[in-house]
Structure formats: structure tokens, C-alpha cells
Amino acid sequence: MALEAQGLCVAYGGRKAVEGLSLGIRGGEILALVGPNGSGKTSLLKALAGVLPAAGGGVFLDARPLASYRRRELARRIGLVAQVHPPLEDLLVAELVGYGRFSREGAGPPGARGRKVIAAALRAVGLEAFAGRELARLSGGERQRAWIAMALAQEPDFLLLDEPTTHLDLAAQLELLALLKELRDQRGLGIGIVLHDLNQAAALADRMALLSGGHLLASGPPREVMRESLLSASFGVAGRVFDAGGKPHFAPERSLRHNGEAGRPIAPSGKESP
């Protein structure tokens, strides 16, 4: 299984948010998208989910153009957990998760198989005991898990998440990232995730993709991407990369944006490393 962008361009009102980018997510791996604000991470994620159309190049799911899939057909393969959720505070957790069955069962109450899938999704995220609770009564971390459960109820092959740790306390962040590893290992999901925290991304991901100005600056295992020169070029900060428990860790030291110390720009690769 593979979800791939090939020479992808995404535009908003004539401005290119992603330009000539080639990158893929394979089944059973976690790919973390990182980069400064405005680098194109969310635009890329939405294009991979089929929410934003390609202005050039394309996105392919198992070598078939994403644009050729019907909406419900695509929802059976790709689950998207957006950064901002609609206000559904009075909804019960089980009802929210049940919405994930629409692509497979249509409108109306889920059938016997659907109910089993919903129960399994709630178990997977640790919310089985919260099925009858209103969303408004959940903590931030629990609520995020409920939305992930809804995506799992679609029975997708790929799960895409846009900054799912935003507004969560540290414990909830770590619990959510541990959950994603479990979903990769136990379900073989291909997971694409936008993260602002470089060190969380390096600890979580099998591969990282560093974006800058809508271009792919580098991609590969965390050790290949977490390099001081690359991070300086992308984020405009000086710092040190060191080993922390077998994973690369970046400690920023100072901004280079306004003092003329920023190093030479690094040319974007346009495609991921082999």
C-alpha cells in the first residue's frame, strides 16, 4: 500500500502553497511532516487526503490517481483527523464514532458489523467506557482520541492527522503519540502526521519530511533530517543536535532571522530520498 504525491503543486488564490513536491507514505509506517509555519505541511496533508485538489502533478493511492476515486470510496481508504473540529459538544462519543461508518454503510444506524467496528475503535483508543458520555465532558486528550476513533471506524488503510497534539498537556501528548505507534504496529496503518515539535516527531516517526516555503527540503529517517544545517535553513535558528535515548534531539539556542547570521539556503530536493 502506498499514498504518494508526485510533482505535487497546491495553490490558494494564485499562490502556491506546495510546489513540485514528491513524497509517499507506505503502509505500516509513520511519516512526520515538519517545518515552520507557512511551509506547506497542512496543505500537503489535505492534498494527500483528497480535500485539496492538485494544481499540478498529482496524488496517487496504490498507483491510481486520487482524483479518480469517488468520495465515499476514498473515505474507506483514508481517514483524516483535522486540526479544527466542528462544535458537536452535545454528541455522545459513540455517536461521533458512528459517523465514521457512513462511507461503508450510508446514513442511518450502523449494522451488526458496524457496531463491532465502532466498539473496536473505542477499545483501540481507550474510550470504551466513555461511549455514552457527551463530548463536552471529555478532556482535550480524550476528545482527540474520540475523533481518531471516528477515523478508525472508517476502516482506513491510511490515517492522516494535522497537529493532533495542539492544546494538549504533555501527558496527553505522549499518550496520543504512543497510541499512534500502537495503531501502526497492530493495524499496519500508514500514518502521516503534522507536528510542530521536532523532537516528538523524531521520537515517533519512521521517516520525517522537512518542508520549507512549499518545497521538500529533506526526507528520510530522523537522523538524516535532524541535521543542524537543515534545521537552521528551514527554521532560521541555531542549535545543537545530539543523541537522546537513541533518537536525535534538537536544542535550539538562538534565532538567526534578524541578525544576519542565517547560513546559506539549502536547495530543496523536490522529492524524497530513496
Side-chain angles (χ1 to χ4, degrees):
M1 296 186 299
L3 178 61
E4 300 175 292
Q6 296 182 9
L8 178 67
C9 296
V10 179
Y12 290 107
R15 183 186 70 84
K16 287 186 178 179
V18 174
E19 187 168 3
L21 193 149
S22 296
L23 183 72
I25 306 171
R26 298 181 287 266
E29 75 163 4
I30 297 176
L31 172 70
L33 305 177
V34 298
N37 290 341
S39 60
K41 303 182 299 296
T42 292
S43 298
L44 172 58
L45 193 82
K46 288 182 176 180
L48 289 171
V51 175
L52 288 180
V59 179
F60 299 83
L61 177 56
D62 293 339
R64 176 180 163 189
L66 215 63
S68 71
Y69 284 82
R70 293 170 303 184
R71 192 72 236 169
R72 283 179 61 176
E73 184 183 12
L74 191 60
R76 297 181 194 127
R77 301 291 310 278
I78 301 172
L80 174 65
V81 180
Q83 185 178 157
V84 178
H85 306 303
L88 301 172
E89 300 300 283
D90 294 335
L91 209 63
L92 301 181
V93 171
E95 292 174 334
L96 174 68
V97 179
Y99 285 168
R101 296 303 298 165
F102 176 79
S103 63
R104 295 189 178 272
E105 301 187 53
R113 169 167 171 73
R115 291 192 296 273
K116 289 182 180 178
V117 171
I118 291 168
L122 288 167
R123 275 197 306 275
V125 302
L127 290 182
E128 194 173 17
F130 295 77
R133 185 171 296 188
E134 294 175 348
L135 288 177
R137 297 174 55 205
L138 300 182
S139 69
E142 291 164 347
R143 196 171 309 183
Q144 194 66 285
R145 285 170 175 261
W147 286 98
I148 292 174
M150 187 187 77
L152 293 179
Q154 298 170 216
E155 299 182 87
D157 298 311
F158 294 92
L159 179 63
L160 305 179
L161 307 100
D162 190 7
E163 298 185 32
T165 58
T166 301
H167 307 309
L168 301 185
D169 64 33
L170 185 56
Q173 291 179 33
L174 295 174
E175 290 165 1
L176 190 145
L177 298 178
L179 167 64
L180 296 180
K181 288 183 178 180
E182 290 176 9
L183 294 175
R184 174 200 61 192
D185 296 340
Q186 297 176 8
R187 297 189 175 214
L189 289 177
I191 297 175
I193 180 171
V194 173
L195 286 172
H196 266 297
D197 189 314
L198 287 169
N199 296 321
Q200 282 187 350
L204 170 71
D206 301 294
R207 291 188 301 124
M208 295 174 66
L210 175 62
L211 277 65
S212 181
H215 296 276
L216 180 64
L217 198 60
S219 70
R223 287 193 179 281
E224 294 181 7
V225 175
M226 293 280 281
R227 290 164 44 201
E228 292 169 7
S229 59
L230 288 171
L231 300 180
S232 173
S234 180
F235 289 92
V237 296
R240 295 181 301 109
V241 175
F242 58 92
D243 184 274
K247 299 286 186 178
H249 190 94
F250 179 64
E253 295 176 345
R254 69 185 188 281
S255 171
L256 302 177
R257 288 181 176 176
H258 304 297
N259 58 13
E261 292 185 53
R264 269 183 326 195
I266 296 177
S269 68
K271 59 183 180 179
E272 64 180 323
S273 304

